[in-house]
Amino acid sequence: MQGEWAGEMAGPDVWEACRELIPAGSVFAFLAEHREALFPPSMFADMYPSSNGRPSMPPQVLAATVVLQSLQGLSDFETVQELRCDLRWKAACGLGLYDMAFDPSLLTYFRRRLRHSADPMRIFTKVKEVVAATGVLKGRQRRALDSTVLDDAVATQDTVTQIISAIRRVIRDVPGAQEVAAEHCCAHDYTDPGKPKIAWNDEQARAALVDALVTDALNLLGHLPERELGEKAANAVGLLALVAGQDVEPAEDSDGRDGRWRIAQRTAPDRTASTVDPDARHIHKNRTRHQDGFKGHVSFEPESGLFTAVAVTGGYGPGNHEAAVARDLLDGEDGELTVLGDSAYGTGELREQLQAEGHILVIKPPPLRQVVPGGFTIDDFRIDPAAGTATCPAGHTANLGQVKADGARTAQFKRLCTDCPLRGRCTTSKTGRTLNVHPQHALLTAARREAADPAWQAEYRRWRPPVERAIAWLVAKGNRRVPHRGIIANNIWLHHRAAALNLRRLINLGLTRTGTTWHLTPATA
């Protein structure tokens, strides 16, 4: 059942006794003063539906603790130590001087209740309501979009470790799997917590081990009793099937039917990086920087310095691309926005949708690829979709082909390039230039022309860079590495982090409360 504040403290009230020691204008002082108004007990009533049982710690105390924890980037254990020993934390959370706080596991239970509630992001939502009440975003319609890679909280595993770990998990979680493993799995002692004892510098020994482990995995999967599995057991079976096949291929002289395997000479596009956190992925933010983890996405109002939306997604797949997530980040915004973003948001599909909704786009268009360095690009061709033709810089005209499944069309100049004097600047192909026309070609062409306008460039350079600062705030104090496993838990964490940063920003802007109204009172010189 939901706990209520009884009014009795363990020792003197820290806020009343030590107010002068708490930095004025800090998040600590603000929470000490307005904690109950910011997080009223009714806000958490649905998370504690039962009226029976032992009363919980008042959820407003836990909410204030989560805000400070997210702001400082602390573990649960470190957070409780601060609550026990730091006067600022005691004052902010309403604890007495001698209060020993609570066990760190209580924060885990609170996050679990949040996760399974109707509104897991309610702390971020509440701070957004405060932002709306102050009117700080009124008339400020710019939204800068960006993403960053967040490192996972687990160690990246090699193929051998993944397969062994997944087999152990099936043996542990699936009914009847232990007997099957004892009969059919002999590549390794899966009760031994260490790695197999082989000569790891021997290539043939490593290859034989991989072959035997994959065989064990397939034997285990193939001989499991046929029965309906619960969620935990089904996940274990699915994970084993995934890791047993993602890194291997049939042996060099095998037709794939004789059960001989080797490490694949490629990397699976959506490779699972660890069985401890199956949601983590290999992410290439650019050609030189490779990380394992998740993508963090933000929508930021650059003038006020406030996050309007955040999200954590997987690191691979079209549904997790910046342009796809942008639509969700801007969902629920009122009025006409000026949307700023780098070339990752410059897809034709996103442009088409945002323009249809009446937004102004200051999004950097993707760079054009030049077939020949310093040569012609698609902008040097005249494309007439209505007539179905494309005319090259030399004046040759070719027909556009049939519309493909993705809406693109192709023009093949072939023999028209044979004696063309401009061929050296156009193509290196022996068969002539082939021109691929994007479904939103006209839209992207117009965007490139607009991006060359000095006024557009001034707007982009003035308001796009602040989102880089926002990302720096977000990942500061070790928060580049997420604290939890899985997309859902880390998405909630990122919302808490953004809520804490927004609250700090509002306090710096002069957030206060008069009666029942939140408003900003700028500091006077």
Side-chain angles (χ1 to χ4, degrees):
M1 63 181 291
Q2 180 172 341
E4 298 180 358
W5 191 251
E8 299 179 2
M9 291 189 176
D13 185 331
V14 175
W15 178 237
E16 293 297 331
C18 308
R19 187 183 300 241
E20 294 79 8
L21 300 178
I22 312 300
S26 66
V27 177
F28 300 103
F30 178 86
L31 288 175
E33 190 97 28
H34 302 292
R35 179 185 61 257
E36 297 290 326
L38 183 63
F39 302 125
S42 59
M43 175 179 165
F44 306 97
D46 64 296
M47 292 170 50
Y48 302 88
S50 176
S51 58
N52 300 320
R54 181 179 178 181
S56 69
M57 172 70 68
Q60 59 271 34
V61 174
L62 294 173
T65 302
V66 165
V67 167
L68 293 175
Q69 178 186 27
S70 302
L71 188 63
Q72 301 292 329
L74 304 178
S75 68
D76 290 350
F77 177 80
E78 292 168 334
T79 296
V80 172
Q81 292 304 304
E82 293 291 341
L83 275 172
R84 290 176 178 174
C85 307
D86 194 316
L87 294 178
R88 299 171 302 170
W89 282 68
K90 287 181 178 291
C93 298
L95 302 183
L97 182 61
Y98 308 138
D99 202 313
M100 296 299 292
F102 44 78
D103 189 85
S105 62
L106 193 56
L107 290 171
T108 302
Y109 291 128
F110 183 66
R111 288 193 298 267
R112 187 179 301 168
R113 286 183 181 271
L114 278 174
R115 175 172 177 168
H116 295 291
S117 70
D119 183 10
M121 319 301 177
R122 66 186 65 203
I123 292 177
F124 181 78
T125 302
K126 181 61 178 180
V127 176
K128 280 190 70 174
E129 292 174 1
V130 175
V131 170
T134 63
V136 66
L137 295 182
K138 188 175 182 180
R140 294 173 173 171
Q141 296 298 96
R142 293 185 182 88
R143 298 294 182 270
L145 307 178
D146 203 2
S147 69
T148 189
V149 177
L150 301 172
D151 297 326
D152 58 26
V154 299
T156 301
Q157 296 174 326
D158 58 36
T159 303
V160 169
T161 304
Q162 284 201 25
I163 296 176
I164 292 175
S165 176
I167 290 176
R168 286 175 180 151
R169 187 170 177 178
V170 169
I171 293 173
R172 182 178 66 247
D173 295 342
V174 178
Q178 187 171 358
E179 293 76 11
V180 173
E183 182 177 353
H184 297 282
C185 300
C186 55
H188 176 61
D189 179 6
Y190 295 101
T191 62
D192 183 353
K195 275 193 170 185
K197 296 177 176 60
I198 67 166
W200 287 98
N201 60 348
D202 185 339
E203 184 176 350
Q204 290 185 346
R206 295 198 307 269
L209 175 63
V210 169
D211 179 39
L213 289 174
V214 174
T215 300
D216 275 5
L218 297 179
N219 285 338
L220 181 57
L221 292 170
H223 291 88
L224 285 175
E226 293 187 7
R227 65 177 68 179
E228 186 174 347
L229 300 177
E231 181 181 2
K232 189 175 182 180
N235 288 341
V237 171
L239 184 62
L240 177 57
L242 174 64
V243 301
Q246 69 175 357
D247 291 338
V248 299
E249 61 187 9
E252 187 173 358
D253 57 345
S254 169
D255 61 359
R257 294 179 294 180
D258 57 2
R260 292 185 294 123
W261 308 94
R262 69 174 184 180
I263 294 290
Q265 305 302 306
R266 46 89 183 128
T267 300
D270 194 21
R271 184 180 187 273
T272 297
S274 171
T275 58
V276 181
D277 188 352
D279 288 344
R281 290 292 183 271
H282 292 302
I283 304 175
H284 294 188
K285 184 67 173 176
N286 53 48
R287 292 185 178 182
T288 59
R289 186 176 181 183
H290 304 165
Q291 295 170 258
D292 294 334
F294 309 89
K295 277 187 180 180
H297 306 263
V298 304
S299 174
F300 185 73
E301 200 293 301
E303 193 171 355
S304 63
L306 295 170
F307 295 93
T308 58
V310 297
V312 169
T313 67
Y316 180 83
N320 300 321
H321 189 273
E322 285 78 358
V325 179
R327 294 190 283 268
D328 296 329
L329 294 178
L330 298 175
D331 188 37
E333 293 276 11
D334 296 327
E336 180 185 282
L337 300 175
T338 297
V339 181
L340 302 106
D342 60 21
S343 58
Y345 301 91
T347 63
E349 294 82 358
L350 181 61
R351 287 181 181 277
E352 191 172 56
Q353 180 177 5
L354 294 181
Q355 287 186 358
E357 294 173 357
H359 301 312
I360 300 171
L361 306 186
V362 186
I363 298 176
K364 192 175 182 180
L368 286 175
R369 185 178 66 89
Q370 293 180 329
V371 178
V372 177
F376 298 122
T377 67
I378 194 171
D379 283 352
D380 297 309
F381 289 72
R382 294 196 306 275
I383 312 296
D384 188 344
T389 60
T391 304
C392 74
H396 302 303
T397 300
N399 293 325
L400 293 173
Q402 294 293 322
V403 178
K404 299 177 183 178
D406 61 356
R409 302 176 76 177
T410 302
Q412 296 181 341
F413 288 85
K414 292 187 176 179
R415 60 181 179 80
L416 298 174
C417 298
T418 303
D419 299 319
C420 180
L422 301 180
R423 178 170 182 161
R425 297 175 57 192
C426 191
T427 182
T428 58
S429 173
K430 294 180 180 179
T431 58
R433 179 71 180 254
T434 298
L435 194 69
N436 296 310
V437 182
H438 194 278
Q440 286 87 25
H441 169 74
L443 201 61
L444 294 172
T445 300
R448 288 190 288 270
R449 291 198 192 101
E450 188 179 20
D453 184 353
W456 185 98
Q457 294 175 1
E459 174 81 1
Y460 185 86
R461 291 168 181 164
R462 172 67 180 86
W463 297 112
R464 171 64 178 71
V467 74
E468 304 287 352
R469 181 181 64 209
I471 293 291
W473 290 346
L474 206 61
V475 302
K477 295 187 176 181
N479 286 285
R480 170 76 66 184
R481 183 175 298 278
V482 298
H484 308 297
R485 291 177 292 174
I487 293 173
I488 297 176
N490 285 312
N491 191 32
I492 296 173
W493 161 79
L494 188 66
H495 279 79
H496 289 164
R497 174 78 177 155
L501 293 171
N502 276 354
L503 186 61
R504 185 180 68 182
R505 178 61 181 159
L506 287 172
I507 293 169
N508 290 338
L509 292 174
L511 179 64
T512 188
R513 184 176 175 87
T514 303
T516 59
T517 305
W518 296 103
H519 58 90
L520 300 181
T521 305
T524 57

Tab-separated table of all heavy atoms in Angstrom, residues 17 27 39 127 145 167 184 216 251 284 286 323 335 343 397 401 417 442-443 464 481 488 523:
chain	number	residue	atom	x	y	z
A	17	ALA	N	16.517	23.179	10.325
A	17	ALA	CA	17.657	23.441	11.209
A	17	ALA	C	18.897	23.924	10.453
A	17	ALA	O	19.709	24.685	11.006
A	17	ALA	CB	17.999	22.170	11.992
A	27	VAL	N	19.045	22.682	-6.780
A	27	VAL	CA	17.973	21.704	-6.881
A	27	VAL	C	17.620	21.173	-5.493
A	27	VAL	O	16.451	20.906	-5.199
A	27	VAL	CB	18.389	20.545	-7.809
A	27	VAL	CG1	17.305	19.476	-7.867
A	27	VAL	CG2	18.687	21.056	-9.203
A	39	PHE	N	5.674	16.740	-6.595
A	39	PHE	CA	5.314	15.330	-6.649
A	39	PHE	C	4.256	15.025	-5.585
A	39	PHE	O	4.554	14.430	-4.542
A	39	PHE	CB	6.544	14.447	-6.416
A	39	PHE	CG	7.664	14.677	-7.393
A	39	PHE	CD1	8.949	14.982	-6.943
A	39	PHE	CD2	7.444	14.598	-8.752
A	39	PHE	CE1	9.984	15.190	-7.832
A	39	PHE	CE2	8.478	14.817	-9.651
A	39	PHE	CZ	9.751	15.111	-9.195
A	127	VAL	N	7.435	17.297	-14.938
A	127	VAL	CA	8.315	18.448	-15.158
A	127	VAL	C	7.891	19.192	-16.428
A	127	VAL	O	7.947	20.421	-16.491
A	127	VAL	CB	9.783	18.008	-15.219
A	127	VAL	CG1	10.696	19.182	-15.547
A	127	VAL	CG2	10.211	17.388	-13.877
A	145	LEU	N	17.010	18.723	-33.219
A	145	LEU	CA	17.037	17.268	-33.054
A	145	LEU	C	18.463	16.747	-33.156
A	145	LEU	O	19.255	17.246	-33.948
A	145	LEU	CB	16.177	16.594	-34.129
A	145	LEU	CG	14.735	17.077	-34.276
A	145	LEU	CD1	14.056	16.343	-35.422
A	145	LEU	CD2	13.958	16.877	-32.981
A	167	ILE	N	23.572	-21.387	-23.559
A	167	ILE	CA	23.261	-22.776	-23.211
A	167	ILE	C	23.003	-22.896	-21.711
A	167	ILE	O	22.047	-23.566	-21.274
A	167	ILE	CB	24.408	-23.702	-23.660
A	167	ILE	CG1	24.444	-23.804	-25.195
A	167	ILE	CG2	24.250	-25.094	-23.036
A	167	ILE	CD1	25.600	-24.624	-25.740
A	184	HIS	N	23.122	-34.877	-24.442
A	184	HIS	CA	23.487	-34.508	-25.811
A	184	HIS	C	24.554	-33.422	-25.917
A	184	HIS	O	25.023	-33.144	-27.022
A	184	HIS	CB	22.243	-34.026	-26.565
A	184	HIS	CG	21.189	-35.074	-26.734
A	184	HIS	ND1	21.282	-36.073	-27.682
A	184	HIS	CD2	20.023	-35.286	-26.052
A	184	HIS	CE1	20.213	-36.852	-27.599
A	184	HIS	NE2	19.433	-36.407	-26.618
A	216	ASP	N	26.419	-28.555	-29.910
A	216	ASP	CA	25.720	-28.689	-28.620
A	216	ASP	C	24.453	-27.860	-28.592
A	216	ASP	O	23.389	-28.302	-28.130
A	216	ASP	CB	26.641	-28.262	-27.478
A	216	ASP	CG	27.545	-29.382	-26.998
A	216	ASP	OD1	27.515	-30.465	-27.627
A	216	ASP	OD2	28.282	-29.169	-26.014
A	251	ALA	N	31.258	-25.057	-42.495
A	251	ALA	CA	32.707	-25.164	-42.690
A	251	ALA	C	33.052	-25.058	-44.175
A	251	ALA	O	32.201	-25.243	-45.049
A	251	ALA	CB	33.221	-26.474	-42.113
A	284	HIS	N	27.799	1.998	-35.336
A	284	HIS	CA	28.819	2.788	-36.010
A	284	HIS	C	28.257	4.196	-36.185
A	284	HIS	O	27.504	4.450	-37.116
A	284	HIS	CB	29.166	2.189	-37.369
A	284	HIS	CG	29.825	0.848	-37.277
A	284	HIS	ND1	30.366	0.206	-38.363
A	284	HIS	CD2	30.038	0.025	-36.218
A	284	HIS	CE1	30.876	-0.952	-37.979
A	284	HIS	NE2	30.676	-1.084	-36.687
A	286	ASN	N	30.051	6.746	-36.852
A	286	ASN	CA	30.755	7.172	-38.063
A	286	ASN	C	31.733	6.063	-38.441
A	286	ASN	O	31.735	4.983	-37.847
A	286	ASN	CB	31.466	8.519	-37.861
A	286	ASN	CG	32.366	8.521	-36.633
A	286	ASN	OD1	33.160	7.598	-36.435
A	286	ASN	ND2	32.237	9.550	-35.800
A	323	ALA	N	15.711	9.686	-38.501
A	323	ALA	CA	14.551	10.251	-39.196
A	323	ALA	C	13.259	9.573	-38.762
A	323	ALA	O	12.204	10.214	-38.711
A	323	ALA	CB	14.735	10.120	-40.701
A	335	GLY	N	1.351	23.856	-32.902
A	335	GLY	CA	1.729	24.970	-33.759
A	335	GLY	C	2.796	24.608	-34.771
A	335	GLY	O	3.273	23.477	-34.866
A	343	SER	N	22.271	16.085	-41.248
A	343	SER	CA	21.863	15.354	-42.447
A	343	SER	C	21.213	14.007	-42.142
A	343	SER	O	20.552	13.440	-43.010
A	343	SER	CB	23.074	15.144	-43.365
A	343	SER	OG	24.102	14.434	-42.684
A	397	THR	N	19.165	12.886	-73.657
A	397	THR	CA	17.968	12.576	-72.880
A	397	THR	C	17.732	11.072	-72.859
A	397	THR	O	17.786	10.412	-73.905
A	397	THR	CB	16.732	13.287	-73.460
A	397	THR	OG1	16.951	14.699	-73.421
A	397	THR	CG2	15.484	12.953	-72.663
A	401	GLY	N	12.973	4.749	-65.998
A	401	GLY	CA	12.368	3.432	-65.973
A	401	GLY	C	11.102	3.396	-65.126
A	401	GLY	O	10.641	4.408	-64.580
A	417	CYS	N	26.506	7.747	-73.956
A	417	CYS	CA	27.770	8.188	-73.351
A	417	CYS	C	28.986	7.829	-74.222
A	417	CYS	O	30.106	8.262	-73.917
A	417	CYS	CB	27.941	7.541	-71.970
A	417	CYS	SG	26.659	7.989	-70.770
A	442	ALA	N	12.562	15.897	-56.168
A	442	ALA	CA	12.279	17.335	-56.248
A	442	ALA	C	12.399	17.991	-54.873
A	442	ALA	O	12.929	19.101	-54.733
A	442	ALA	CB	10.879	17.565	-56.822
A	443	LEU	N	11.936	17.296	-53.849
A	443	LEU	CA	11.997	17.830	-52.486
A	443	LEU	C	13.439	17.968	-52.020
A	443	LEU	O	13.836	18.989	-51.432
A	443	LEU	CB	11.219	16.889	-51.561
A	443	LEU	CG	10.725	17.438	-50.219
A	443	LEU	CD1	9.758	18.590	-50.440
A	443	LEU	CD2	10.039	16.323	-49.443
A	464	ARG	N	21.386	25.468	-34.386
A	464	ARG	CA	21.657	24.027	-34.364
A	464	ARG	C	22.720	23.636	-33.339
A	464	ARG	O	22.552	22.622	-32.622
A	464	ARG	CB	22.057	23.581	-35.783
A	464	ARG	CG	22.585	22.162	-35.892
A	464	ARG	CD	21.550	21.110	-35.537
A	464	ARG	NE	22.036	19.756	-35.696
A	464	ARG	CZ	22.931	19.145	-34.937
A	464	ARG	NH1	23.508	19.809	-33.944
A	464	ARG	NH2	23.275	17.901	-35.147
A	481	ARG	N	27.444	6.009	-20.264
A	481	ARG	CA	27.152	4.583	-20.049
A	481	ARG	C	25.828	4.447	-19.306
A	481	ARG	O	25.647	5.001	-18.225
A	481	ARG	CB	28.274	3.929	-19.242
A	481	ARG	CG	28.082	2.428	-19.033
A	481	ARG	CD	29.284	1.813	-18.337
A	481	ARG	NE	30.491	1.949	-19.134
A	481	ARG	CZ	30.821	1.129	-20.136
A	481	ARG	NH1	30.028	0.127	-20.456
A	481	ARG	NH2	31.936	1.317	-20.808
A	488	ILE	N	13.810	-0.685	-22.540
A	488	ILE	CA	12.721	-0.098	-21.753
A	488	ILE	C	13.251	0.560	-20.484
A	488	ILE	O	12.925	1.720	-20.186
A	488	ILE	CB	11.669	-1.180	-21.408
A	488	ILE	CG1	11.022	-1.718	-22.687
A	488	ILE	CG2	10.608	-0.604	-20.480
A	488	ILE	CD1	10.054	-2.860	-22.453
A	523	ALA	N	16.359	36.390	-11.703
A	523	ALA	CA	17.171	37.043	-10.671
A	523	ALA	C	17.478	38.475	-11.101
A	523	ALA	O	17.724	38.762	-12.269
A	523	ALA	CB	18.462	36.273	-10.455
